[in-house]
């Protein structure tokens, strides 16, 4: 048995948002666990300049150039395992896995979305094949594990459940000295935060309608922040809400240090979504110890009622209004969040699970040549 610690190449191609923050946290934990770790991330690396104890390159573009960069790094560094956090095309990923196996390299994949948002039904056969060819598929929660096995035929022996959503920003938030893009918080202020990329179905219009139709204490301050956050919001509605309560608008991309400052100064994160989604903002809020008021359309890997926040029915405006006006429930949630593991302990726990996984995968036999063939019905698409 090989007793040397495995060498791991983490691959995350976006360079932004939750995927980037999660990958940085995992790389940090692996390095702390004694595993030589390298991270390849997107060229738009929003954590550029943040000190990390592992080797990192921001060289990934979308498409073929990104995969060429990964292959080049495998050839030069000879890792034992490539751990993908990013797949932009299942056919290119399949060819990479086939190539990596021929180099004697194992491939692990954590699908943060098991299917893409676009063309998901057309691409499902290719993803099913990918999940069967990959050496191990990591599910971040039990719901994803069920879907991978039951809907996409992922073999149970190739599926590993490793829950946890640590966030690199959580290590920075408590010590964050960055100035918030919002005005300085004053004593007694109750600050509510609506944060994220603009989308008509995130419920900002209904939130502003609720604000505009009620009387609010002077201490309440609503901060609305994110790139394109006012998508679908009329000037008239925004003006009416601004007359009813203090509102600060930050309609632009918010850099990570500013995100940490926004969450640091907020008392409550608002997620009144109308669309159904699994949002990484829930994980970020938990990591940063910020209570959440969410609609029942928002799902998270580990959200627990009255521990991480509270939930209301997405079509019950009165319930959202009551929660906004009440404050007594927040103290219990804050206490529960404060009792959670510190961010570094959560990172170390996730890294230990991955360390054990890598050791197992490295000792397994690589697939035979038949596993590298594209099925006949996918052959016309195999060069996409």
């Amino acid at each position: 048995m090989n007793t040397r610690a495995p060498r791991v190449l983490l691959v995350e191609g976006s360079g932004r948002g939750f995927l980037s923050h999660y990958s940085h946290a995992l790389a940090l934990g692996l390095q702390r666990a004694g595993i030589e770790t390298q991270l390849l991330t997107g060229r738009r690396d929003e954590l550029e300049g943040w000190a990390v104890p592992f080797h990192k390159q921001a060289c990934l573009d979308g498409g073929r150039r990104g995969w060429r960069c990964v292959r080049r790094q495998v050839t030069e560094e000879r890792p034992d395992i490539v751990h993908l956090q990013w797949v932009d095309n299942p056919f290119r990923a399949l060819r990479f896995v086939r190539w990596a196996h021929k180099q004697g390299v194992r491939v692990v994949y954590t699908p943060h979305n098991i299917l893409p948002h676009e063309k998901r039904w057309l691409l499902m056969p290719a993803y099913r094949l990918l999940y069967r060819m990959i050496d191990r598929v990591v599910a971040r929660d039990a719901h994803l594990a069920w879907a991978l096995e039951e809907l996409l035929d992922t073999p149970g022996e190739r599926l590993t459940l490793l829950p946890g959503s640590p966030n690199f920003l959580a290590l920075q938030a408590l010590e964050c000295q960055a100035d918030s893009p919002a005005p300085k918080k004053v004593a007694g202020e109750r600050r509510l935060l609506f944060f994220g990329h603009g989308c008509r179905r995130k419920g900002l219009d209904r939130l502003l309608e609720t604000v505009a139709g009620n009387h609010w204490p002077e201490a309440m301050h609503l901060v609305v922040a994110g790139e394109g956050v006012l998508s679908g919001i009329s000037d008239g509605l925004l003006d009416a809400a601004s007359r009813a309560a203090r509102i600060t608008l930050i309609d632009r991309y918010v850099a990570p240090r500013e995100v940490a400052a926004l969450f640091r100064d907020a008392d409550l994160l608002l997620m009144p979504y109308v669309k159904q989604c699994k949002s990484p903002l829930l994980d970020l809020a938990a990591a940063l110890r910020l209570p959440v008021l969410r609609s029942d359309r928002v799902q998270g890997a580990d959200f627990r009622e009255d521990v991480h926040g509270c939930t209301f029915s997405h079509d019950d405006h009165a319930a959202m209004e009551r929660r906004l006006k009440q404050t007594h429930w927040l103290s219990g949630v804050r206490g529960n969040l404060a009792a959670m593991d510190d961010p570094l302990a959560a990172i170390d726990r996730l890294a230990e699970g991955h360390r054990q996984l890598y050791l197992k995968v490295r000792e397994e036999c690589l697939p035979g040549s038949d596993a590298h063939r594209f099925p006949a019905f996918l052959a016309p698409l195999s060069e996409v």
Side-chain angles (χ1 to χ4, degrees), residues 27-45:
L28 173 62
L30 293 174
Q31 194 75 19
R32 285 169 53 84
I35 294 177
E36 184 180 341
T37 306
Q38 297 187 54
L39 173 64
L40 293 186
T41 190
R43 290 189 183 277
R44 301 182 305 165
D45 177 18

Side-chain angles (χ1 to χ4, degrees), residues 106-127:
R106 275 71 173 174
V107 184
V108 176
Y109 177 34
T110 300
H112 297 275
N113 287 307
I114 62 174
L115 290 171
H117 295 299
E118 298 180 358
K119 301 179 181 178
R120 60 177 59 187
W121 304 120
L122 178 64
L123 294 174
M124 181 181 283
Y127 276 99

Side-chain angles (χ1 to χ4, degrees), residues 18 140 164-171 173-174 263 268-269 271 279-293 300-305 307-309 333-344 346 349:
F18 172 77
R140 289 181 43 242
S165 299
N167 194 295
F168 191 73
L169 291 188
L171 299 176
L174 296 179
F263 277 66
L268 181 63
L269 178 66
M271 302 184 71
S279 175
L281 281 184
L282 289 177
D283 300 320
L284 178 59
L288 299 181
R289 306 298 190 261
L290 178 61
V292 177
L293 178 60
D302 191 36
F303 185 91
R304 286 171 285 167
E305 194 71 9
V307 173
H308 298 99
V333 172
R334 290 194 193 99
N336 291 330
L337 288 170
M340 293 170 57
D341 286 345
D342 68 81
L344 198 54
R349 185 168 58 250

Side-chain angles (χ1 to χ4, degrees), residues 122-139:
L122 178 64
L123 294 174
M124 181 181 283
Y127 276 99
R128 290 175 67 182
L129 180 59
L130 177 63
Y131 292 136
R132 295 183 68 85
M133 184 187 291
I134 218 89
D135 294 284
R136 198 68 96 249
V137 182
V138 175

Side-chain angles (χ1 to χ4, degrees), residues 172-192:
Q172 322 298 324
L174 296 179
E175 301 177 359
C176 179
Q177 302 299 319
D179 290 333
S180 172
K184 185 177 177 62
K185 191 174 183 180
V186 299
E189 177 183 331
R190 183 185 178 218
R191 182 167 292 191
L192 312 179

Side-chain angles (χ1 to χ4, degrees), residues 7 37-38 50 73-74 109-110 117 119 170 174 186-187 192-195 198 206 208 325 354 370 375:
R7 304 176 71 233
T37 306
Q38 297 187 54
W50 292 43
Q73 196 69 14
V74 170
Y109 177 34
T110 300
H117 295 299
K119 301 179 181 178
L174 296 179
V186 299
L192 312 179
L193 176 63
F194 182 97
F195 175 78
R206 298 187 179 190
L208 293 177
K325 290 183 174 180
H354 280 79
D370 287 346

